[in-house]
Amino acid sequence: MAKRERLEVICDILRVIRDSNNRIKPTRLLYASNLSPQMFKEYIEELTAKGFVGQSESQGRKTFSLSDKGFEFLKKYREMMEFIRDFGL
Amino acid sequence: MGSFNLFLQDRLIFELLYTALILFFTLSIYVKASRFYSLSSHKGFRFFGNAFLSFAVAYAIRFAIGLVEGAPYAWILSILAVLMSIAFFYTICLFGFYLVYSLVWKEQKTREYILHVAALAIAILSVLFGSEFMFVSQLAVLAYASVVSYDNYLKDRRKIQQLYFIAMVLGFAGFLANSLLPIISEVYPPFVIYVYAITVSIFLIIFYCVTGRWLKEND
């Protein structure tokens, strides 16, 4: 399997969250994202810092959900990938 | 020759419209690329956007140089004209360097400041010894950009990739025509209009490539 590009990994993580009714536990997201724990931690930190993903806690359980910016990224993802491919970026 | 006489009569208005057109195309491309960069942090968007921002700044300076040159002579204006010329050559060189860098940054990880240092060095040489330095460097980078964009086109053979390759070749032709402008316009003055037409065509094509999908999406 070819190595996923950085944007593809981000898109996969965001899609998993969105497709889980926009609420997912960290362990489930880690398995579904198909990343090593270290890589997963780095990506989640980046996505949280950028405001794509928000964390919330209820009854002592942490969950991730998409912000409006995260939804916007998914909406624009295909267009961005086409732009990268067409202009060789 | 009738249209050329009209061009000469209303040169300032013509230059203003020409500059406005170039600024509209280049800044629209820049805005689109920087929106994608702010969303994705993909460096290619930033380098691509910076190329067109540099060209927009270069053309704004070019227009200002035209105004300063037309003003009554004064030493302060001549110093200003030299500084503006350096800024113009610097931003034009940055356009070419950033454009090529946007194509090769994944393979050739050059420190970004080197692009600025090289552009500034060429700008100073161009002001001191003649614009040949700028033209030769930009012809080289655009020839390289043409080859890389053609190689990119061969991978998927998409229409936008083909148009972008055509724009790169036109860019090369445009810089070549610009470099020959002083010689050719001696014998054929309307040649300047063809050079302007080539320049507008290049940015019109890239503007279409960049915004075409976006326009369709909002239909």
Side-chain angles (χ1 to χ4, degrees):
Chain A
M1 201 167 100
K3 187 174 169 279
R4 285 180 295 173
E5 289 274 341
R6 186 182 143 273
L7 287 183
E8 285 176 272
V9 175
I10 290 173
C11 181
D12 288 346
I13 293 172
L14 298 182
R15 273 184 185 147
V16 169
I17 300 173
R18 183 194 63 190
D19 297 344
S20 308
N21 292 323
N22 199 24
R23 188 173 290 271
I24 189 168
K25 290 179 198 166
T27 41
R28 265 194 63 207
L29 184 58
L30 168 63
Y31 291 131
S33 63
N34 206 17
L35 291 166
S36 68
Q38 179 58 34
M39 290 294 284
F40 175 74
K41 188 170 171 273
E42 284 172 23
Y43 272 104
I44 280 295
E45 278 172 3
E46 185 188 342
L47 294 176
T48 309
K50 284 192 166 158
F52 287 158
V53 169
Q55 293 183 34
S56 58
E57 230 175 291
S58 66
Q59 296 170 339
R61 286 178 176 176
K62 196 160 85 170
T63 55
F64 292 114
S65 57
L66 291 192
S67 65
D68 289 346
K69 205 177 169 187
F71 279 111
E72 197 197 343
F73 179 93
L74 284 178
K75 206 173 134 192
K76 297 271 178 189
Y77 175 74
R78 198 178 148 182
E79 199 188 345
M80 285 193 291
M81 291 308 282
E82 279 187 2
F83 197 114
I84 289 169
R85 184 165 61 163
D86 287 342
F87 296 98
L89 310 181
Chain B
M1 281 303 248
S3 59
F4 185 63
N5 287 335
L6 201 69
F7 166 75
L8 288 177
Q9 277 169 20
D10 300 315
R11 180 84 195 236
L12 185 65
I13 293 169
F14 190 88
E15 285 287 346
L16 185 65
L17 287 174
Y18 171 64
T19 306
L21 209 55
I22 295 291
L23 289 187
F24 172 72
F25 289 145
T26 50
L27 290 176
S28 300
I29 296 164
Y30 166 71
V31 166
K32 180 82 173 173
S34 56
R35 269 186 197 156
F36 280 164
Y37 177 67
S38 70
L39 203 55
S40 67
S41 299
H42 182 75
K43 286 181 183 172
F45 289 129
R46 188 161 70 82
F47 301 139
F48 186 78
N50 281 356
F52 292 93
L53 178 65
S54 301
F55 203 87
V57 173
Y59 260 61
I61 294 169
R62 179 186 171 277
F63 183 73
I65 290 172
L67 294 179
V68 171
E69 278 176 352
Y73 183 80
W75 67 270
I76 191 115
L77 282 179
S78 64
I79 290 172
L80 192 63
V82 169
L83 291 175
M84 285 162 85
S85 297
I86 293 174
F88 170 71
F89 286 126
Y90 168 70
T91 45
I92 280 283
C93 288
L94 268 189
F95 163 70
F97 292 156
Y98 266 123
L99 199 66
V100 168
Y101 198 49
S102 75
L103 294 166
V104 300
W105 67 277
K106 281 181 189 167
E107 289 84 29
Q108 294 172 21
K109 296 203 187 304
T110 309
R111 287 181 193 274
E112 205 179 330
Y113 75 87
I114 291 172
L115 305 182
H116 291 267
V117 172
L120 188 62
I122 292 168
I124 292 169
L125 287 172
S126 300
V127 169
L128 290 177
F129 304 109
S131 55
E132 295 82 8
F133 285 93
M134 184 274 284
F135 282 122
V136 169
S137 69
Q138 293 313 292
L139 284 172
V141 291
L142 281 164
Y144 186 59
S146 302
V147 172
V148 176
S149 59
Y150 183 67
D151 188 50
N152 190 42
Y153 164 65
L154 290 181
K155 282 179 198 158
D156 302 306
R157 293 185 180 272
R158 285 160 62 92
K159 187 188 162 198
I160 300 287
Q161 291 168 328
Q162 187 183 31
L163 286 173
Y164 190 52
F165 164 64
I166 292 168
M168 289 297 105
V169 174
L170 273 177
F172 180 85
F175 267 102
L176 189 64
N178 255 303
S179 66
L180 299 173
L181 187 60
I183 304 162
I184 298 178
S185 59
E186 285 280 313
V187 284
Y188 184 59
F191 184 66
V192 66
I193 293 179
Y194 295 107
V195 174
Y196 284 14
I198 292 172
T199 309
V200 170
S201 310
I202 296 160
F203 291 101
L204 179 63
I205 291 171
I206 301 174
F207 173 77
Y208 168 75
C209 291
V210 167
T211 59
R213 275 187 300 265
W214 175 71
L215 291 172
K216 267 184 223 161
E217 204 178 66
N218 286 284
D219 275 348

